[in-house]
């Protein structure tokens, strides 16, 4: 919701922190989990699109 109104440094930081936490949870799950291959496929198929949105948006906004 913060991102929708305006892109501020705080909203970018919150998005990046959430992305980092999700990636760390995935990495920990890959280390201690038993369904590593299924989890990796699910993670990549869903999150690669979501994870790429904020960095791409930052690049496009810095060019303008």
């Amino acid at each position: 919701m913060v991102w929708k109104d305006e892109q501020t440094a705080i909203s970018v930081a919150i998005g990046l922190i959430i992305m980092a936490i999700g990636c760390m949870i995935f990495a920990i799950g890959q280390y201690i989990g038993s369904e590593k291959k299924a989890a990796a496929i699910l993670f990549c198929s869903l999150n690669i699109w979501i994870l790429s949105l904020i960095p791409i948006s930052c690049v496009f906004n810095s060019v303008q």
Side-chain angles (χ1 to χ4, degrees), residues 1-58:
M1 199 60 173
V2 174
W3 187 270
K4 192 173 187 178
D5 290 335
E6 60 184 57
Q7 182 178 355
T8 62
I10 292 173
S11 63
V12 173
I14 290 169
L16 292 174
I17 289 169
I18 291 171
M19 287 172 32
I21 290 171
C23 289
M24 287 188 309
I25 290 171
F26 171 72
I28 291 169
Q30 286 293 306
Y31 183 70
I32 63 173
S34 60
E35 297 290 328
K36 294 178 183 178
K37 185 167 180 126
I41 291 170
L42 183 62
F43 179 82
C44 291
S45 66
L46 294 174
N47 292 320
I48 196 69
W49 306 110
I50 296 169
L51 291 174
S52 64
L53 291 177
I54 289 180
I56 289 172
S57 178
C58 291

